Amino acid sequence: MDIEMEKERLTAEMAFNDSTSAVIKIRRQLPDFLQSVKLKYVKLGYGYSCNPATLIMLALILPLFVFTVVQITGLKLDRVSELWTNQKLQLESIDAATRMVAAVTLCFLFALYLAKRSRPVYLVDFACYKPEDERKMSIDSFLKMTEDSGAFGEESLQFQRRISARCGLGDETYLSSGITARPPNLCMKEARAEAEAVMFGALDSLLEKTGINPKEIGILIVNCSLFNPTPSLSSMIVNHYKLRTDIKSYNLGGMGCSAGLISIELARNLLQANPNTYAVVVSTENITLNWYFGNDRSMLLCNCIFRMGGAAVLLSNKARDRSRSKYELVHLIRTHKGADDENYNCVFQREDDKEIIGVSLSRELMAVAGNALKTNITTLGPLVLPLTEQFMFFLTLVRKKIFKAKVKPYIPDFKLAFEHFCIHAGGRAVLDEVQKNLQLTEWHMEPSKMTLYRFGNTSSSSLWYELAYTEAKGRISGGDRVWQIAFGSGFKCNSAVWRALRATPGSKSRGNPWVDEIDKYPVKVLRV
């Protein structure tokens, strides 16, 4: 028997053990974030699409410029009306001063447009790391390794068995050699070895696919939350590939599973300021030094779902690269809820009661993720939804918020705005709830669910495994729109919208981690 408690988004599950006793379990659900929105986030979305600075320039600066020109040159404004009333007006009748001012004005406006317009940012190509087969870890092998370690009590082992059976991972995910060694060898050397294998593996594949010389890379951004050695991971790449001395390199740490899109935004902003440049973004997570050997259940979840992986992305602002690029970045919206204590503390690295370090996932995580997603998609909606959907959504919102009418909220159909969805593969429960709230089909959710099954939660790089899956299936056509949604500690939710510049046939997905086995998917993931 299930009892829904909508106000708190809880589900009470009752199971009868025998004729005299029953067990009631309370399970938190993702909030129904499309049922309640705030006008300030709708206005924020329209603010992105209608820049006040542009309005000021058109409404104030341009008329003042024209008025000043007229006053200085002594031009008569009746010339303008004469163009409409006298169809025989000849160009020769306009004096030299008028022609000169008109030419200067046009040149000024054109130069202003070129200076202020945003440079297009192209995604030339990307590559995902696929570890060697010897790094594969089945569910049974993971549970046996956990039991043989001797670090966990019986209750903790039972908990990990239940989570492993329900989390949506398959039998071909990957773990690093430091974790699988007997006994585990969790040291700085092994963590560096994992980082090098993942980053260099993804970058080697990217450089081979794109054919660029490492010396051409002008911007390098690496994001990894939990492993930040000295020298940094970005310096590790600079040293390995002998990148140029004036490279702009950045290393982002502690920003969670949403850091990949934060890196994309940073790269976009740097590309706006540095013309004719390539930017490389490397997204990964390092699990060797962050494996938890304690008995706190909130920390054991990470052992069950996080796995080895990483991706490298090549971005360009060069006009000549448009013809060979796969996608163009259209929108990138970031939401940060860290001002609220509950949001800030829901994913937290700390010591347990035995002073063993781990990452704790709180019970409020689903609710926090839902609220962040609600804010993010409410801001994004005005930028991407068709006008008909925006009108119905806004009309219902005004009736409810202003006129206090008791009307059922209008849920926009985001399937009209996007052909493909890449939702961070954080776990089966989150994917199921996002699917329900956005009313997505199994076809739309297939890349996310199969990425979780095949590679596990690879943190910030999971979005690129999902896009690679979509490409390997041959589903990308020119003009298609892709929505990437990521969320992570802080608490943050970020969205990126890409437009496909050309079709990507599945048979030509060179360097794609799925291409050799894509025909096996999708598979039916059993529910326990």
Side-chain angles (χ1 to χ4, degrees), residues 63-268:
L64 284 175
F65 174 77
V66 174
F67 178 77
T68 302
V69 170
V70 170
Q71 291 297 316
I72 292 176
T73 61
L75 295 176
K76 297 185 179 298
L77 295 179
D78 56 5
R79 286 280 189 179
V80 178
S81 60
E82 194 175 350
L83 292 173
W84 296 95
T85 58
N86 186 358
Q87 297 182 0
K88 296 183 179 180
L89 181 66
Q90 301 295 321
L91 184 62
E92 291 77 6
S93 67
I94 302 177
D95 58 30
T98 304
R99 291 197 298 270
M100 182 187 70
V101 171
V104 170
T105 301
L106 289 175
C107 289
F108 171 80
L109 293 176
F110 185 66
L112 187 65
Y113 167 75
L114 291 179
K116 294 296 182 182
R117 73 185 180 100
S118 297
R119 294 184 178 89
V121 173
Y122 304 115
L123 193 162
V124 181
D125 214 329
F126 66 97
C128 299
Y129 176 64
K130 188 175 183 179
E132 302 83 1
D133 287 346
E134 63 184 19
R135 301 267 61 82
K136 285 184 179 179
M137 177 64 65
S138 67
I139 296 296
D140 289 340
S141 298
F142 164 73
L143 293 174
K144 185 177 187 307
M145 178 189 71
T146 300
E147 185 174 351
D148 291 345
S149 70
F152 306 101
E154 183 56 34
E155 289 187 2
S156 295
L157 291 172
Q158 288 291 351
F159 175 76
Q160 292 181 83
R161 293 186 187 106
R162 290 198 303 272
I163 295 298
S164 296
R166 299 172 182 175
C167 65
L169 271 67
D171 288 328
E172 294 187 298
T173 60
Y174 302 94
L175 285 176
S176 63
S177 58
I179 294 174
T180 59
R182 297 293 187 271
N185 185 21
L186 309 185
C187 61
M188 179 64 75
K189 181 180 178 180
E190 288 291 338
R192 285 185 180 275
E194 179 191 352
E196 291 174 355
V198 173
M199 295 191 305
F200 299 164
L203 282 167
D204 287 346
S205 179
L206 179 68
L207 295 174
E208 181 184 356
K209 292 171 73 173
T210 59
I212 71 163
N213 188 318
K215 296 288 187 181
E216 297 180 72
I217 300 171
I219 299 167
L220 173 65
I221 302 170
V222 179
N223 66 268
C224 181
S225 289
L226 296 174
F227 182 58
N228 294 284
T230 300
S232 66
L233 297 178
S234 58
S235 294
M236 195 182 296
I237 293 173
V238 171
N239 176 262
H240 181 78
Y241 292 97
K242 309 305 177 188
L243 302 184
R244 65 199 209 194
T245 57
D246 64 342
I247 190 167
K248 296 173 175 61
S249 65
Y250 301 84
N251 204 94
L252 306 183
M255 305 195 78
C257 300
S258 66
L261 295 186
I262 296 174
S263 298
I264 294 293
E265 186 199 39
L266 177 58
R268 179 194 66 181

Side-chain angles (χ1 to χ4, degrees), residues 7 24 31 63 244 305 320 327 345 355 381 383 445 486 493:
K7 186 175 181 180
I24 298 178
R244 65 199 209 194
I305 61 176
R320 65 176 180 270
Y327 306 94
N345 292 314
E355 298 187 353
L383 299 173
M445 296 299 299
C493 176

Side-chain angles (χ1 to χ4, degrees), residues 204-360:
D204 287 346
S205 179
L206 179 68
L207 295 174
E208 181 184 356
K209 292 171 73 173
T210 59
I212 71 163
N213 188 318
K215 296 288 187 181
E216 297 180 72
I217 300 171
I219 299 167
L220 173 65
I221 302 170
V222 179
N223 66 268
C224 181
S225 289
L226 296 174
F227 182 58
N228 294 284
T230 300
S232 66
L233 297 178
S234 58
S235 294
M236 195 182 296
I237 293 173
V238 171
N239 176 262
H240 181 78
Y241 292 97
K242 309 305 177 188
L243 302 184
R244 65 199 209 194
T245 57
D246 64 342
I247 190 167
K248 296 173 175 61
S249 65
Y250 301 84
N251 204 94
L252 306 183
M255 305 195 78
C257 300
S258 66
L261 295 186
I262 296 174
S263 298
I264 294 293
E265 186 199 39
L266 177 58
R268 179 194 66 181
N269 294 341
L270 290 168
L271 286 171
Q272 294 298 330
N274 296 272
N276 201 37
T277 306
Y278 284 121
V280 167
V281 171
V282 179
S283 296
T284 185
E285 190 52 83
N286 191 289
I287 57 178
T288 296
L289 287 182
N290 296 284
W291 200 253
Y292 177 64
F293 283 103
N295 290 284
D296 188 321
R297 291 189 178 187
S298 69
M299 298 181 177
L300 285 171
L301 284 168
C302 294
N303 286 9
C304 298
I305 61 176
F306 279 93
R307 294 295 183 264
M308 185 179 180
V313 182
L314 178 65
L315 302 173
S316 173
N317 58 11
K318 301 180 181 183
R320 65 176 180 270
D321 281 328
R322 178 184 174 87
S323 60
R324 70 168 183 145
S325 296
K326 288 185 173 181
Y327 306 94
E328 180 180 353
L329 182 60
V330 182
H331 301 294
L332 203 153
I333 301 297
R334 289 176 57 185
T335 300
H336 201 311
K337 292 284 191 174
D340 176 77
D341 288 344
E342 185 178 69
N343 287 264
Y344 176 75
N345 292 314
C346 71
V347 181
F348 208 88
Q349 188 178 27
R350 59 177 177 83
E351 295 95 350
D352 64 10
D353 56 1
K354 303 293 185 182
E355 298 187 353
I356 303 173
I357 296 176
V359 177
S360 173

Side-chain angles (χ1 to χ4, degrees), residues 368-381:
V368 166
N371 288 328
L373 279 166
K374 177 182 69 176
T375 300
N376 190 267
I377 67 174
T378 304
T379 306
L380 179 67

Side-chain angles (χ1 to χ4, degrees), residues 375-393:
T375 300
N376 190 267
I377 67 174
T378 304
T379 306
L380 179 67
L383 299 173
V384 297
L385 287 170
L387 291 178
T388 53
E389 291 292 299
Q390 292 190 48
F391 176 76
M392 293 300 298
F393 174 77

